Amino acid sequence: MTTAMREICAVIRSGAWRRTLLALEAAGFGAVTRQRAYGRGKQGGLRYGDGPEGIRLLPKWVLTLVVEDHDVEAAVAAIMTANRTGAIGDGKIFICPLGQTISVRQEEHSSADMPLGALS
């Protein structure tokens, strides 16, 4: 029986990635991917370009980690604790089911609660 896996993507403030990583590591989640992103939510963002056509974006980080289904709550709690200030722009967390994972080095396949064909 394979354990269901979830992908957690957290969009956080650019200055919060280090404390988020430390909180995740303290909670037992050491495998994290970090990507630079630019976006905006309710806070509006900074204006790039001249005139009213300018684009408003803010620098952010997107952290991605894959956890077993029963670990989602702990991982989310660590992210929330590290990022919640109560102000607009604290971030957003997305949780998605994973159908299959493949280890490139070991060529190990693991499928969870969704068959690969369901992804297309």
Side-chain angles (χ1 to χ4, degrees), residues 29-78:
F29 304 102
V32 178
T33 300
R34 179 182 75 158
Q35 299 173 341
R36 172 61 83 187
Y38 294 89
R40 67 177 189 190
K42 293 179 182 176
Q43 79 273 32
L46 306 170
R47 184 172 300 279
Y48 293 97
D50 296 326
E53 298 84 29
I55 300 170
R56 291 179 166 259
L57 299 173
L58 286 171
K60 301 284 186 177
W61 286 110
V62 177
L63 302 180
T64 304
L65 61 153
V66 175
V67 302
E68 292 184 3
D69 197 37
H70 59 85
D71 288 329
V72 169
E73 191 173 316
V76 168

mmCIF file of all heavy atoms in Angstrom, residues 29-78:
data_model
loop_
_atom_site.group_PDB
_atom_site.id
_atom_site.type_symbol
_atom_site.label_atom_id
_atom_site.label_comp_id
_atom_site.label_asym_id
_atom_site.label_seq_id
_atom_site.Cartn_x
_atom_site.Cartn_y
_atom_site.Cartn_z
ATOM 1 N N PHE A 29 10.999 18.789 7.973
ATOM 2 C CA PHE A 29 10.856 18.836 6.518
ATOM 3 C C PHE A 29 12.077 19.518 5.925
ATOM 4 O O PHE A 29 12.137 20.734 5.805
ATOM 5 C CB PHE A 29 9.573 19.589 6.128
ATOM 6 C CG PHE A 29 8.341 19.005 6.748
ATOM 7 C CD1 PHE A 29 7.758 19.603 7.852
ATOM 8 C CD2 PHE A 29 7.783 17.849 6.245
ATOM 9 C CE1 PHE A 29 6.625 19.064 8.441
ATOM 10 C CE2 PHE A 29 6.654 17.301 6.835
ATOM 11 C CZ PHE A 29 6.071 17.903 7.929
ATOM 12 N N GLY A 30 13.074 18.727 5.554
ATOM 13 C CA GLY A 30 14.325 19.275 5.049
ATOM 14 C C GLY A 30 14.385 19.414 3.547
ATOM 15 O O GLY A 30 15.190 20.184 3.028
ATOM 16 N N ALA A 31 13.540 18.686 2.821
ATOM 17 C CA ALA A 31 13.576 18.717 1.360
ATOM 18 C C ALA A 31 12.605 19.781 0.848
ATOM 19 O O ALA A 31 11.393 19.617 0.898
ATOM 20 C CB ALA A 31 13.207 17.349 0.799
ATOM 21 N N VAL A 32 13.176 20.892 0.370
ATOM 22 C CA VAL A 32 12.377 22.023 -0.097
ATOM 23 C C VAL A 32 13.013 22.569 -1.364
ATOM 24 O O VAL A 32 14.237 22.623 -1.475
ATOM 25 C CB VAL A 32 12.322 23.144 0.964
ATOM 26 C CG1 VAL A 32 11.541 24.352 0.475
ATOM 27 C CG2 VAL A 32 11.740 22.643 2.266
ATOM 28 N N THR A 33 12.189 22.995 -2.308
ATOM 29 C CA THR A 33 12.667 23.676 -3.501
ATOM 30 C C THR A 33 12.232 25.130 -3.410
ATOM 31 O O THR A 33 11.096 25.420 -3.049
ATOM 32 C CB THR A 33 12.076 23.044 -4.779
ATOM 33 O OG1 THR A 33 12.478 21.682 -4.842
ATOM 34 C CG2 THR A 33 12.548 23.765 -6.028
ATOM 35 N N ARG A 34 13.150 26.041 -3.744
ATOM 36 C CA ARG A 34 12.850 27.472 -3.684
ATOM 37 C C ARG A 34 13.007 28.070 -5.066
ATOM 38 O O ARG A 34 14.007 27.838 -5.746
ATOM 39 C CB ARG A 34 13.799 28.155 -2.702
ATOM 40 C CG ARG A 34 13.582 29.651 -2.595
ATOM 41 C CD ARG A 34 14.585 30.268 -1.659
ATOM 42 N NE ARG A 34 15.884 30.352 -2.306
ATOM 43 C CZ ARG A 34 16.841 31.191 -1.935
ATOM 44 N NH1 ARG A 34 16.664 31.993 -0.917
ATOM 45 N NH2 ARG A 34 17.997 31.208 -2.565
ATOM 46 N N GLN A 35 12.023 28.859 -5.494
ATOM 47 C CA GLN A 35 12.072 29.522 -6.791
ATOM 48 C C GLN A 35 11.710 30.991 -6.614
ATOM 49 O O GLN A 35 10.774 31.323 -5.881
ATOM 50 C CB GLN A 35 11.084 28.897 -7.773
ATOM 51 C CG GLN A 35 11.335 27.447 -8.055
ATOM 52 C CD GLN A 35 10.237 26.829 -8.907
ATOM 53 O OE1 GLN A 35 9.138 27.354 -9.010
ATOM 54 N NE2 GLN A 35 10.538 25.711 -9.509
ATOM 55 N N ARG A 36 12.417 31.855 -7.309
ATOM 56 C CA ARG A 36 12.101 33.283 -7.312
ATOM 57 C C ARG A 36 10.861 33.490 -8.180
ATOM 58 O O ARG A 36 10.713 32.876 -9.226
ATOM 59 C CB ARG A 36 13.278 34.067 -7.875
ATOM 60 C CG ARG A 36 13.048 35.528 -8.116
ATOM 61 C CD ARG A 36 12.700 36.309 -6.898
ATOM 62 N NE ARG A 36 13.849 36.713 -6.132
ATOM 63 C CZ ARG A 36 13.734 37.287 -4.950
ATOM 64 N NH1 ARG A 36 12.561 37.490 -4.411
ATOM 65 N NH2 ARG A 36 14.798 37.639 -4.289
ATOM 66 N N ALA A 37 9.970 34.341 -7.726
ATOM 67 C CA ALA A 37 8.761 34.647 -8.477
ATOM 68 C C ALA A 37 8.423 36.122 -8.292
ATOM 69 O O ALA A 37 8.878 36.769 -7.345
ATOM 70 C CB ALA A 37 7.603 33.778 -7.988
ATOM 71 N N TYR A 38 7.629 36.633 -9.199
ATOM 72 C CA TYR A 38 7.110 37.988 -9.095
ATOM 73 C C TYR A 38 5.607 37.897 -9.285
ATOM 74 O O TYR A 38 5.129 37.219 -10.194
ATOM 75 C CB TYR A 38 7.722 38.907 -10.166
ATOM 76 C CG TYR A 38 9.196 39.100 -9.950
ATOM 77 C CD1 TYR A 38 10.128 38.233 -10.521
ATOM 78 C CD2 TYR A 38 9.656 40.130 -9.147
ATOM 79 C CE1 TYR A 38 11.480 38.393 -10.300
ATOM 80 C CE2 TYR A 38 11.023 40.299 -8.921
ATOM 81 C CZ TYR A 38 11.912 39.431 -9.501
ATOM 82 O OH TYR A 38 13.252 39.589 -9.267
ATOM 83 N N GLY A 39 4.883 38.537 -8.407
ATOM 84 C CA GLY A 39 3.438 38.471 -8.514
ATOM 85 C C GLY A 39 2.786 39.502 -7.627
ATOM 86 O O GLY A 39 3.448 40.338 -7.018
ATOM 87 N N ARG A 40 1.480 39.406 -7.558
ATOM 88 C CA ARG A 40 0.744 40.324 -6.708
ATOM 89 C C ARG A 40 -0.555 39.680 -6.285
ATOM 90 O O ARG A 40 -1.076 38.777 -6.923
ATOM 91 C CB ARG A 40 0.474 41.639 -7.414
ATOM 92 C CG ARG A 40 -0.482 41.475 -8.591
ATOM 93 C CD ARG A 40 -0.777 42.791 -9.190
ATOM 94 N NE ARG A 40 -1.855 42.637 -10.176
ATOM 95 C CZ ARG A 40 -2.202 43.564 -10.986
ATOM 96 N NH1 ARG A 40 -1.580 44.713 -10.975
ATOM 97 N NH2 ARG A 40 -3.183 43.366 -11.825
ATOM 98 N N GLY A 41 -1.027 40.156 -5.188
ATOM 99 C CA GLY A 41 -2.324 39.737 -4.677
ATOM 100 C C GLY A 41 -3.099 40.983 -4.312
ATOM 101 O O GLY A 41 -3.074 41.976 -5.039
ATOM 102 N N LYS A 42 -3.705 40.979 -3.162
ATOM 103 C CA LYS A 42 -4.519 42.111 -2.730
ATOM 104 C C LYS A 42 -3.703 43.370 -2.454
ATOM 105 O O LYS A 42 -4.222 44.471 -2.501
ATOM 106 C CB LYS A 42 -5.309 41.735 -1.475
ATOM 107 C CG LYS A 42 -6.352 40.685 -1.742
ATOM 108 C CD LYS A 42 -7.085 40.330 -0.473
ATOM 109 C CE LYS A 42 -8.084 39.229 -0.761
ATOM 110 N NZ LYS A 42 -8.758 38.783 0.454
ATOM 111 N N GLN A 43 -2.396 43.194 -2.156
ATOM 112 C CA GLN A 43 -1.586 44.358 -1.810
ATOM 113 C C GLN A 43 -1.241 45.206 -3.027
ATOM 114 O O GLN A 43 -0.741 46.306 -2.886
ATOM 115 C CB GLN A 43 -0.325 43.958 -1.034
ATOM 116 C CG GLN A 43 0.805 43.415 -1.882
ATOM 117 C CD GLN A 43 0.740 41.935 -2.141
ATOM 118 O OE1 GLN A 43 -0.320 41.342 -2.225
ATOM 119 N NE2 GLN A 43 1.883 41.311 -2.283
ATOM 120 N N GLY A 44 -1.474 44.724 -4.231
ATOM 121 C CA GLY A 44 -1.300 45.544 -5.433
ATOM 122 C C GLY A 44 0.059 45.467 -6.077
ATOM 123 O O GLY A 44 0.166 45.335 -7.259
ATOM 124 N N GLY A 45 1.113 45.560 -5.348
ATOM 125 C CA GLY A 45 2.438 45.425 -5.932
ATOM 126 C C GLY A 45 3.069 46.746 -6.321
ATOM 127 O O GLY A 45 2.497 47.818 -6.156
ATOM 128 N N LEU A 46 4.278 46.661 -6.838
ATOM 129 C CA LEU A 46 5.038 47.819 -7.284
ATOM 130 C C LEU A 46 4.801 48.026 -8.768
ATOM 131 O O LEU A 46 4.577 47.077 -9.509
ATOM 132 C CB LEU A 46 6.534 47.588 -7.037
ATOM 133 C CG LEU A 46 6.931 47.207 -5.612
ATOM 134 C CD1 LEU A 46 8.388 46.785 -5.586
ATOM 135 C CD2 LEU A 46 6.672 48.355 -4.666
ATOM 136 N N ARG A 47 4.895 49.272 -9.227
ATOM 137 C CA ARG A 47 4.657 49.554 -10.641
ATOM 138 C C ARG A 47 5.956 49.412 -11.435
ATOM 139 O O ARG A 47 6.971 50.017 -11.097
ATOM 140 C CB ARG A 47 4.084 50.950 -10.818
ATOM 141 C CG ARG A 47 3.732 51.234 -12.282
ATOM 142 C CD ARG A 47 2.989 52.533 -12.470
ATOM 143 N NE ARG A 47 1.728 52.571 -11.755
ATOM 144 C CZ ARG A 47 0.583 52.021 -12.166
ATOM 145 N NH1 ARG A 47 0.552 51.349 -13.292
ATOM 146 N NH2 ARG A 47 -0.520 52.121 -11.465
ATOM 147 N N TYR A 48 5.907 48.610 -12.475
ATOM 148 C CA TYR A 48 7.013 48.462 -13.414
ATOM 149 C C TYR A 48 6.549 48.989 -14.757
ATOM 150 O O TYR A 48 5.557 48.525 -15.301
ATOM 151 C CB TYR A 48 7.445 46.991 -13.551
ATOM 152 C CG TYR A 48 8.067 46.440 -12.298
ATOM 153 C CD1 TYR A 48 7.318 45.709 -11.392
ATOM 154 C CD2 TYR A 48 9.401 46.667 -12.012
ATOM 155 C CE1 TYR A 48 7.886 45.210 -10.229
ATOM 156 C CE2 TYR A 48 9.980 46.180 -10.849
ATOM 157 C CZ TYR A 48 9.212 45.449 -9.973
ATOM 158 O OH TYR A 48 9.781 44.964 -8.829
ATOM 159 N N GLY A 49 7.224 49.959 -15.296
ATOM 160 C CA GLY A 49 6.826 50.564 -16.562
ATOM 161 C C GLY A 49 6.171 51.911 -16.328
ATOM 162 O O GLY A 49 5.769 52.248 -15.223
ATOM 163 N N ASP A 50 6.049 52.670 -17.379
ATOM 164 C CA ASP A 50 5.502 54.018 -17.288
ATOM 165 C C ASP A 50 3.999 54.027 -17.569
ATOM 166 O O ASP A 50 3.485 53.186 -18.288
ATOM 167 C CB ASP A 50 6.203 54.943 -18.293
ATOM 168 C CG ASP A 50 7.682 55.098 -17.982
ATOM 169 O OD1 ASP A 50 8.026 55.086 -16.788
ATOM 170 O OD2 ASP A 50 8.481 55.227 -18.930
ATOM 171 N N GLY A 51 3.338 55.015 -17.010
ATOM 172 C CA GLY A 51 1.930 55.243 -17.297
ATOM 173 C C GLY A 51 1.015 54.215 -16.676
ATOM 174 O O GLY A 51 1.442 53.324 -15.941
ATOM 175 N N PRO A 52 -0.261 54.322 -16.982
ATOM 176 C CA PRO A 52 -1.252 53.412 -16.397
ATOM 177 C C PRO A 52 -1.106 51.972 -16.884
ATOM 178 O O PRO A 52 -1.652 51.055 -16.298
ATOM 179 C CB PRO A 52 -2.594 54.009 -16.829
ATOM 180 C CG PRO A 52 -2.284 54.863 -18.006
ATOM 181 C CD PRO A 52 -0.861 55.323 -17.836
ATOM 182 N N GLU A 53 -0.347 51.781 -17.982
ATOM 183 C CA GLU A 53 -0.152 50.426 -18.513
ATOM 184 C C GLU A 53 0.937 49.661 -17.770
ATOM 185 O O GLU A 53 1.185 48.494 -18.040
ATOM 186 C CB GLU A 53 0.208 50.457 -20.006
ATOM 187 C CG GLU A 53 -0.851 51.060 -20.885
ATOM 188 C CD GLU A 53 -0.747 52.582 -20.931
ATOM 189 O OE1 GLU A 53 0.366 53.132 -20.771
ATOM 190 O OE2 GLU A 53 -1.792 53.224 -21.097
ATOM 191 N N GLY A 54 1.623 50.338 -16.853
ATOM 192 C CA GLY A 54 2.695 49.686 -16.104
ATOM 193 C C GLY A 54 2.191 48.468 -15.346
ATOM 194 O O GLY A 54 1.026 48.381 -14.965
ATOM 195 N N ILE A 55 3.059 47.509 -15.133
ATOM 196 C CA ILE A 55 2.698 46.266 -14.462
ATOM 197 C C ILE A 55 3.073 46.377 -12.993
ATOM 198 O O ILE A 55 4.167 46.832 -12.660
ATOM 199 C CB ILE A 55 3.436 45.077 -15.112
ATOM 200 C CG1 ILE A 55 3.040 44.974 -16.581
ATOM 201 C CG2 ILE A 55 3.129 43.779 -14.372
ATOM 202 C CD1 ILE A 55 3.893 44.000 -17.359
ATOM 203 N N ARG A 56 2.207 45.938 -12.116
ATOM 204 C CA ARG A 56 2.472 45.976 -10.679
ATOM 205 C C ARG A 56 2.762 44.564 -10.182
ATOM 206 O O ARG A 56 1.879 43.713 -10.182
ATOM 207 C CB ARG A 56 1.282 46.543 -9.918
ATOM 208 C CG ARG A 56 1.056 47.999 -10.167
ATOM 209 C CD ARG A 56 -0.170 48.464 -9.390
ATOM 210 N NE ARG A 56 -0.221 49.894 -9.344
ATOM 211 C CZ ARG A 56 0.159 50.627 -8.300
ATOM 212 N NH1 ARG A 56 0.594 50.054 -7.208
ATOM 213 N NH2 ARG A 56 0.090 51.931 -8.337
ATOM 214 N N LEU A 57 4.007 44.342 -9.770
ATOM 215 C CA LEU A 57 4.421 43.039 -9.257
ATOM 216 C C LEU A 57 5.329 43.223 -8.048
ATOM 217 O O LEU A 57 6.018 44.226 -7.936
ATOM 218 C CB LEU A 57 5.171 42.237 -10.323
ATOM 219 C CG LEU A 57 4.406 41.913 -11.599
ATOM 220 C CD1 LEU A 57 5.348 41.275 -12.609
ATOM 221 C CD2 LEU A 57 3.246 40.997 -11.314
ATOM 222 N N LEU A 58 5.341 42.232 -7.186
ATOM 223 C CA LEU A 58 6.225 42.214 -6.025
ATOM 224 C C LEU A 58 7.122 40.987 -6.091
ATOM 225 O O LEU A 58 6.685 39.921 -6.544
ATOM 226 C CB LEU A 58 5.412 42.148 -4.735
ATOM 227 C CG LEU A 58 4.690 43.413 -4.316
ATOM 228 C CD1 LEU A 58 3.757 43.112 -3.153
ATOM 229 C CD2 LEU A 58 5.680 44.486 -3.921
ATOM 230 N N PRO A 59 8.365 41.105 -5.621
ATOM 231 C CA PRO A 59 9.224 39.915 -5.566
ATOM 232 C C PRO A 59 8.725 38.973 -4.475
ATOM 233 O O PRO A 59 8.366 39.405 -3.377
ATOM 234 C CB PRO A 59 10.600 40.488 -5.223
ATOM 235 C CG PRO A 59 10.324 41.803 -4.579
ATOM 236 C CD PRO A 59 9.042 42.312 -5.155
ATOM 237 N N LYS A 60 8.678 37.699 -4.789
ATOM 238 C CA LYS A 60 8.222 36.661 -3.871
ATOM 239 C C LYS A 60 9.137 35.452 -4.010
ATOM 240 O O LYS A 60 9.959 35.360 -4.906
ATOM 241 C CB LYS A 60 6.787 36.213 -4.222
ATOM 242 C CG LYS A 60 5.740 37.297 -4.188
ATOM 243 C CD LYS A 60 5.375 37.638 -2.793
ATOM 244 C CE LYS A 60 4.216 38.625 -2.748
ATOM 245 N NZ LYS A 60 3.804 38.916 -1.397
ATOM 246 N N TRP A 61 8.971 34.506 -3.113
ATOM 247 C CA TRP A 61 9.588 33.188 -3.237
ATOM 248 C C TRP A 61 8.459 32.174 -3.280
ATOM 249 O O TRP A 61 7.448 32.322 -2.590
ATOM 250 C CB TRP A 61 10.493 32.859 -2.055
ATOM 251 C CG TRP A 61 11.799 33.581 -2.051
ATOM 252 C CD1 TRP A 61 12.179 34.559 -1.192
ATOM 253 C CD2 TRP A 61 12.905 33.371 -2.934
ATOM 254 N NE1 TRP A 61 13.457 34.976 -1.481
ATOM 255 C CE2 TRP A 61 13.913 34.272 -2.548
ATOM 256 C CE3 TRP A 61 13.128 32.524 -4.017
ATOM 257 C CZ2 TRP A 61 15.141 34.336 -3.204
ATOM 258 C CZ3 TRP A 61 14.355 32.590 -4.663
ATOM 259 C CH2 TRP A 61 15.346 33.483 -4.259
ATOM 260 N N VAL A 62 8.643 31.136 -4.077
ATOM 261 C CA VAL A 62 7.729 29.999 -4.074
ATOM 262 C C VAL A 62 8.510 28.819 -3.510
ATOM 263 O O VAL A 62 9.543 28.431 -4.064
ATOM 264 C CB VAL A 62 7.203 29.666 -5.488
ATOM 265 C CG1 VAL A 62 6.320 28.432 -5.447
ATOM 266 C CG2 VAL A 62 6.452 30.851 -6.080
ATOM 267 N N LEU A 63 8.041 28.287 -2.400
ATOM 268 C CA LEU A 63 8.639 27.097 -1.799
ATOM 269 C C LEU A 63 7.755 25.909 -2.117
ATOM 270 O O LEU A 63 6.535 25.977 -1.966
ATOM 271 C CB LEU A 63 8.762 27.265 -0.287
ATOM 272 C CG LEU A 63 9.578 28.459 0.200
ATOM 273 C CD1 LEU A 63 9.609 28.484 1.718
ATOM 274 C CD2 LEU A 63 10.981 28.419 -0.353
ATOM 275 N N THR A 64 8.370 24.836 -2.563
ATOM 276 C CA THR A 64 7.630 23.623 -2.907
ATOM 277 C C THR A 64 8.206 22.464 -2.118
ATOM 278 O O THR A 64 9.423 22.296 -2.056
ATOM 279 C CB THR A 64 7.752 23.320 -4.417
ATOM 280 O OG1 THR A 64 7.312 24.461 -5.150
ATOM 281 C CG2 THR A 64 6.917 22.118 -4.796
ATOM 282 N N LEU A 65 7.325 21.691 -1.508
ATOM 283 C CA LEU A 65 7.751 20.470 -0.843
ATOM 284 C C LEU A 65 6.683 19.410 -1.029
ATOM 285 O O LEU A 65 5.512 19.714 -1.236
ATOM 286 C CB LEU A 65 8.065 20.701 0.637
ATOM 287 C CG LEU A 65 6.959 21.189 1.554
ATOM 288 C CD1 LEU A 65 7.245 20.723 2.978
ATOM 289 C CD2 LEU A 65 6.918 22.704 1.553
ATOM 290 N N VAL A 66 7.122 18.171 -0.998
ATOM 291 C CA VAL A 66 6.227 17.031 -1.129
ATOM 292 C C VAL A 66 6.259 16.270 0.186
ATOM 293 O O VAL A 66 7.336 15.943 0.690
ATOM 294 C CB VAL A 66 6.659 16.125 -2.306
ATOM 295 C CG1 VAL A 66 5.813 14.868 -2.365
ATOM 296 C CG2 VAL A 66 6.579 16.896 -3.615
ATOM 297 N N VAL A 67 5.075 16.031 0.725
ATOM 298 C CA VAL A 67 4.973 15.367 2.022
ATOM 299 C C VAL A 67 3.921 14.269 1.957
ATOM 300 O O VAL A 67 3.058 14.272 1.086
ATOM 301 C CB VAL A 67 4.618 16.363 3.154
ATOM 302 C CG1 VAL A 67 5.656 17.463 3.253
ATOM 303 C CG2 VAL A 67 3.240 16.950 2.969
ATOM 304 N N GLU A 68 4.014 13.352 2.897
ATOM 305 C CA GLU A 68 2.970 12.347 3.012
ATOM 306 C C GLU A 68 1.705 13.022 3.517
ATOM 307 O O GLU A 68 1.756 14.041 4.215
ATOM 308 C CB GLU A 68 3.412 11.230 3.955
ATOM 309 C CG GLU A 68 4.547 10.403 3.386
ATOM 310 C CD GLU A 68 4.934 9.233 4.265
ATOM 311 O OE1 GLU A 68 4.285 9.003 5.308
ATOM 312 O OE2 GLU A 68 5.906 8.555 3.907
ATOM 313 N N ASP A 69 0.575 12.453 3.152
ATOM 314 C CA ASP A 69 -0.727 13.028 3.465
ATOM 315 C C ASP A 69 -0.856 13.381 4.949
ATOM 316 O O ASP A 69 -1.333 14.455 5.305
ATOM 317 C CB ASP A 69 -1.820 12.043 3.043
ATOM 318 C CG ASP A 69 -3.180 12.685 2.940
ATOM 319 O OD1 ASP A 69 -3.262 13.845 2.505
ATOM 320 O OD2 ASP A 69 -4.171 12.028 3.308
ATOM 321 N N HIS A 70 -0.376 12.507 5.813
ATOM 322 C CA HIS A 70 -0.526 12.733 7.247
ATOM 323 C C HIS A 70 0.401 13.829 7.779
ATOM 324 O O HIS A 70 0.270 14.255 8.930
ATOM 325 C CB HIS A 70 -0.336 11.440 8.044
ATOM 326 C CG HIS A 70 1.005 10.798 7.847
ATOM 327 N ND1 HIS A 70 2.107 11.166 8.568
ATOM 328 C CD2 HIS A 70 1.413 9.828 6.999
ATOM 329 C CE1 HIS A 70 3.152 10.441 8.175
ATOM 330 N NE2 HIS A 70 2.759 9.622 7.225
ATOM 331 N N ASP A 71 1.359 14.314 6.959
ATOM 332 C CA ASP A 71 2.277 15.370 7.373
ATOM 333 C C ASP A 71 1.880 16.763 6.883
ATOM 334 O O ASP A 71 2.551 17.746 7.202
ATOM 335 C CB ASP A 71 3.691 15.070 6.871
ATOM 336 C CG ASP A 71 4.345 13.928 7.625
ATOM 337 O OD1 ASP A 71 4.028 13.753 8.820
ATOM 338 O OD2 ASP A 71 5.176 13.229 7.014
ATOM 339 N N VAL A 72 0.806 16.845 6.114
ATOM 340 C CA VAL A 72 0.409 18.132 5.536
ATOM 341 C C VAL A 72 0.150 19.171 6.621
ATOM 342 O O VAL A 72 0.634 20.306 6.555
ATOM 343 C CB VAL A 72 -0.834 17.973 4.623
ATOM 344 C CG1 VAL A 72 -1.417 19.325 4.247
ATOM 345 C CG2 VAL A 72 -0.477 17.187 3.377
ATOM 346 N N GLU A 73 -0.595 18.797 7.637
ATOM 347 C CA GLU A 73 -0.961 19.745 8.686
ATOM 348 C C GLU A 73 0.277 20.326 9.382
ATOM 349 O O GLU A 73 0.361 21.536 9.626
ATOM 350 C CB GLU A 73 -1.875 19.071 9.704
ATOM 351 C CG GLU A 73 -2.511 20.024 10.681
ATOM 352 C CD GLU A 73 -3.540 19.332 11.568
ATOM 353 O OE1 GLU A 73 -4.343 18.535 11.066
ATOM 354 O OE2 GLU A 73 -3.510 19.614 12.779
ATOM 355 N N ALA A 74 1.260 19.496 9.678
ATOM 356 C CA ALA A 74 2.480 19.962 10.346
ATOM 357 C C ALA A 74 3.296 20.883 9.436
ATOM 358 O O ALA A 74 3.838 21.892 9.896
ATOM 359 C CB ALA A 74 3.326 18.773 10.796
ATOM 360 N N ALA A 75 3.387 20.543 8.159
ATOM 361 C CA ALA A 75 4.142 21.383 7.225
ATOM 362 C C ALA A 75 3.464 22.737 7.049
ATOM 363 O O ALA A 75 4.125 23.782 7.073
ATOM 364 C CB ALA A 75 4.289 20.671 5.877
ATOM 365 N N VAL A 76 2.159 22.725 6.905
ATOM 366 C CA VAL A 76 1.410 23.979 6.756
ATOM 367 C C VAL A 76 1.542 24.825 8.019
ATOM 368 O O VAL A 76 1.729 26.041 7.954
ATOM 369 C CB VAL A 76 -0.062 23.707 6.403
ATOM 370 C CG1 VAL A 76 -0.904 24.965 6.531
ATOM 371 C CG2 VAL A 76 -0.168 23.144 4.992
ATOM 372 N N ALA A 77 1.474 24.201 9.179
ATOM 373 C CA ALA A 77 1.614 24.938 10.437
ATOM 374 C C ALA A 77 2.981 25.617 10.523
ATOM 375 O O ALA A 77 3.080 26.774 10.967
ATOM 376 C CB ALA A 77 1.410 23.996 11.625
ATOM 377 N N ALA A 78 4.036 24.941 10.096
ATOM 378 C CA ALA A 78 5.379 25.532 10.110
ATOM 379 C C ALA A 78 5.447 26.741 9.180
ATOM 380 O O ALA A 78 6.009 27.785 9.530
ATOM 381 C CB ALA A 78 6.420 24.491 9.711
#
